[in-house]
PDB file of all heavy atoms in Angstrom:
ATOM      1  N   MET A   1      29.397 194.191  55.693  1.00  0.00           N
ATOM      2  CA  MET A   1      30.206 193.733  56.813  1.00  0.00           C
ATOM      3  C   MET A   1      29.753 194.460  58.068  1.00  0.00           C
ATOM      4  O   MET A   1      29.775 195.690  58.123  1.00  0.00           O
ATOM      5  CB  MET A   1      31.692 194.009  56.544  1.00  0.00           C
ATOM      6  CG  MET A   1      32.250 193.196  55.384  1.00  0.00           C
ATOM      7  SD  MET A   1      33.973 193.603  55.023  1.00  0.00           S
ATOM      8  CE  MET A   1      33.773 195.208  54.250  1.00  0.00           C
ATOM      9  N   ARG A   2      29.357 193.694  59.062  1.00  0.00           N
ATOM     10  CA  ARG A   2      28.821 194.282  60.289  1.00  0.00           C
ATOM     11  C   ARG A   2      29.878 194.219  61.388  1.00  0.00           C
ATOM     12  O   ARG A   2      30.457 193.163  61.647  1.00  0.00           O
ATOM     13  CB  ARG A   2      27.555 193.543  60.726  1.00  0.00           C
ATOM     14  CG  ARG A   2      26.797 194.283  61.818  1.00  0.00           C
ATOM     15  CD  ARG A   2      25.479 193.617  62.120  1.00  0.00           C
ATOM     16  NE  ARG A   2      24.712 194.393  63.088  1.00  0.00           N
ATOM     17  CZ  ARG A   2      23.631 193.946  63.697  1.00  0.00           C
ATOM     18  NH1 ARG A   2      23.173 192.729  63.435  1.00  0.00           N
ATOM     19  NH2 ARG A   2      22.988 194.699  64.559  1.00  0.00           N
ATOM     20  N   LEU A   3      30.069 195.351  62.041  1.00  0.00           N
ATOM     21  CA  LEU A   3      31.156 195.500  63.001  1.00  0.00           C
ATOM     22  C   LEU A   3      30.617 196.036  64.309  1.00  0.00           C
ATOM     23  O   LEU A   3      29.755 196.925  64.321  1.00  0.00           O
ATOM     24  CB  LEU A   3      32.192 196.473  62.424  1.00  0.00           C
ATOM     25  CG  LEU A   3      33.473 196.684  63.195  1.00  0.00           C
ATOM     26  CD1 LEU A   3      34.443 195.556  62.887  1.00  0.00           C
ATOM     27  CD2 LEU A   3      34.120 198.009  62.775  1.00  0.00           C
ATOM     28  N   LEU A   4      31.124 195.513  65.431  1.00  0.00           N
ATOM     29  CA  LEU A   4      30.806 196.048  66.749  1.00  0.00           C
ATOM     30  C   LEU A   4      32.045 196.694  67.329  1.00  0.00           C
ATOM     31  O   LEU A   4      33.111 196.063  67.406  1.00  0.00           O
ATOM     32  CB  LEU A   4      30.329 194.924  67.687  1.00  0.00           C
ATOM     33  CG  LEU A   4      30.116 195.337  69.157  1.00  0.00           C
ATOM     34  CD1 LEU A   4      28.990 196.350  69.282  1.00  0.00           C
ATOM     35  CD2 LEU A   4      29.842 194.104  70.023  1.00  0.00           C
ATOM     36  N   VAL A   5      31.926 197.950  67.739  1.00  0.00           N
ATOM     37  CA  VAL A   5      33.004 198.660  68.418  1.00  0.00           C
ATOM     38  C   VAL A   5      32.604 198.831  69.873  1.00  0.00           C
ATOM     39  O   VAL A   5      31.555 199.396  70.174  1.00  0.00           O
ATOM     40  CB  VAL A   5      33.269 200.042  67.781  1.00  0.00           C
ATOM     41  CG1 VAL A   5      34.283 200.836  68.609  1.00  0.00           C
ATOM     42  CG2 VAL A   5      33.763 199.884  66.344  1.00  0.00           C
ATOM     43  N   VAL A   6      33.444 198.350  70.788  1.00  0.00           N
ATOM     44  CA  VAL A   6      33.205 198.512  72.218  1.00  0.00           C
ATOM     45  C   VAL A   6      34.320 199.405  72.750  1.00  0.00           C
ATOM     46  O   VAL A   6      35.460 198.975  72.929  1.00  0.00           O
ATOM     47  CB  VAL A   6      33.184 197.162  72.954  1.00  0.00           C
ATOM     48  CG1 VAL A   6      32.744 197.361  74.405  1.00  0.00           C
ATOM     49  CG2 VAL A   6      32.269 196.165  72.252  1.00  0.00           C
ATOM     50  N   GLU A   7      33.990 200.673  72.970  1.00  0.00           N
ATOM     51  CA  GLU A   7      34.982 201.704  73.325  1.00  0.00           C
ATOM     52  C   GLU A   7      34.320 202.725  74.237  1.00  0.00           C
ATOM     53  O   GLU A   7      33.275 203.286  73.888  1.00  0.00           O
ATOM     54  CB  GLU A   7      35.511 202.363  72.046  1.00  0.00           C
ATOM     55  CG  GLU A   7      36.331 203.616  72.242  1.00  0.00           C
ATOM     56  CD  GLU A   7      37.568 203.371  73.076  1.00  0.00           C
ATOM     57  OE1 GLU A   7      38.432 202.578  72.641  1.00  0.00           O
ATOM     58  OE2 GLU A   7      37.666 203.984  74.163  1.00  0.00           O
ATOM     59  N   ASP A   8      34.921 202.976  75.407  1.00  0.00           N
ATOM     60  CA  ASP A   8      34.287 203.877  76.373  1.00  0.00           C
ATOM     61  C   ASP A   8      34.592 205.342  76.113  1.00  0.00           C
ATOM     62  O   ASP A   8      33.904 206.217  76.632  1.00  0.00           O
ATOM     63  CB  ASP A   8      34.675 203.504  77.805  1.00  0.00           C
ATOM     64  CG  ASP A   8      36.162 203.675  78.071  1.00  0.00           C
ATOM     65  OD1 ASP A   8      36.964 203.376  77.174  1.00  0.00           O
ATOM     66  OD2 ASP A   8      36.520 204.080  79.192  1.00  0.00           O
ATOM     67  N   GLU A   9      35.622 205.656  75.326  1.00  0.00           N
ATOM     68  CA  GLU A   9      35.904 207.047  74.974  1.00  0.00           C
ATOM     69  C   GLU A   9      34.937 207.434  73.853  1.00  0.00           C
ATOM     70  O   GLU A   9      35.118 207.045  72.699  1.00  0.00           O
ATOM     71  CB  GLU A   9      37.350 207.216  74.516  1.00  0.00           C
ATOM     72  CG  GLU A   9      38.382 206.912  75.590  1.00  0.00           C
ATOM     73  CD  GLU A   9      39.797 207.099  75.077  1.00  0.00           C
ATOM     74  OE1 GLU A   9      40.025 208.028  74.266  1.00  0.00           O
ATOM     75  OE2 GLU A   9      40.670 206.312  75.477  1.00  0.00           O
ATOM     76  N   THR A  10      33.932 208.214  74.193  1.00  0.00           N
ATOM     77  CA  THR A  10      32.854 208.476  73.231  1.00  0.00           C
ATOM     78  C   THR A  10      33.344 209.194  71.980  1.00  0.00           C
ATOM     79  O   THR A  10      32.866 208.916  70.877  1.00  0.00           O
ATOM     80  CB  THR A  10      31.734 209.293  73.891  1.00  0.00           C
ATOM     81  OG1 THR A  10      32.289 210.477  74.465  1.00  0.00           O
ATOM     82  CG2 THR A  10      31.056 208.482  74.994  1.00  0.00           C
ATOM     83  N   ALA A  11      34.300 210.116  72.142  1.00  0.00           N
ATOM     84  CA  ALA A  11      34.811 210.836  70.971  1.00  0.00           C
ATOM     85  C   ALA A  11      35.525 209.885  70.020  1.00  0.00           C
ATOM     86  O   ALA A  11      35.308 209.915  68.795  1.00  0.00           O
ATOM     87  CB  ALA A  11      35.752 211.954  71.409  1.00  0.00           C
ATOM     88  N   LEU A  12      36.363 209.017  70.567  1.00  0.00           N
ATOM     89  CA  LEU A  12      37.072 208.048  69.732  1.00  0.00           C
ATOM     90  C   LEU A  12      36.091 207.064  69.101  1.00  0.00           C
ATOM     91  O   LEU A  12      36.209 206.721  67.928  1.00  0.00           O
ATOM     92  CB  LEU A  12      38.105 207.291  70.568  1.00  0.00           C
ATOM     93  CG  LEU A  12      38.849 206.165  69.848  1.00  0.00           C
ATOM     94  CD1 LEU A  12      39.577 206.678  68.613  1.00  0.00           C
ATOM     95  CD2 LEU A  12      39.821 205.469  70.803  1.00  0.00           C
ATOM     96  N   ALA A  13      35.106 206.639  69.882  1.00  0.00           N
ATOM     97  CA  ALA A  13      34.110 205.709  69.353  1.00  0.00           C
ATOM     98  C   ALA A  13      33.378 206.311  68.164  1.00  0.00           C
ATOM     99  O   ALA A  13      33.115 205.629  67.169  1.00  0.00           O
ATOM    100  CB  ALA A  13      33.121 205.321  70.450  1.00  0.00           C
ATOM    101  N   GLU A  14      33.055 207.598  68.243  1.00  0.00           N
ATOM    102  CA  GLU A  14      32.342 208.255  67.151  1.00  0.00           C
ATOM    103  C   GLU A  14      33.241 208.402  65.923  1.00  0.00           C
ATOM    104  O   GLU A  14      32.799 208.219  64.786  1.00  0.00           O
ATOM    105  CB  GLU A  14      31.834 209.619  67.594  1.00  0.00           C
ATOM    106  CG  GLU A  14      31.098 210.404  66.521  1.00  0.00           C
ATOM    107  CD  GLU A  14      29.926 209.639  65.912  1.00  0.00           C
ATOM    108  OE1 GLU A  14      29.345 208.762  66.598  1.00  0.00           O
ATOM    109  OE2 GLU A  14      29.592 209.907  64.741  1.00  0.00           O
ATOM    110  N   VAL A  15      34.515 208.714  66.157  1.00  0.00           N
ATOM    111  CA  VAL A  15      35.460 208.805  65.037  1.00  0.00           C
ATOM    112  C   VAL A  15      35.574 207.448  64.338  1.00  0.00           C
ATOM    113  O   VAL A  15      35.566 207.358  63.102  1.00  0.00           O
ATOM    114  CB  VAL A  15      36.843 209.280  65.533  1.00  0.00           C
ATOM    115  CG1 VAL A  15      37.895 209.089  64.439  1.00  0.00           C
ATOM    116  CG2 VAL A  15      36.781 210.742  65.948  1.00  0.00           C
TER     117      VAL A  15
END
Side-chain angles (χ1 to χ4, degrees):
M1 294 177 287
R2 192 174 185 192
L3 185 82
L4 173 65
V5 173
V6 188
E7 169 60 62
D8 64 322
E9 296 180 36
T10 54
L12 175 58
E14 179 55 27
V15 168

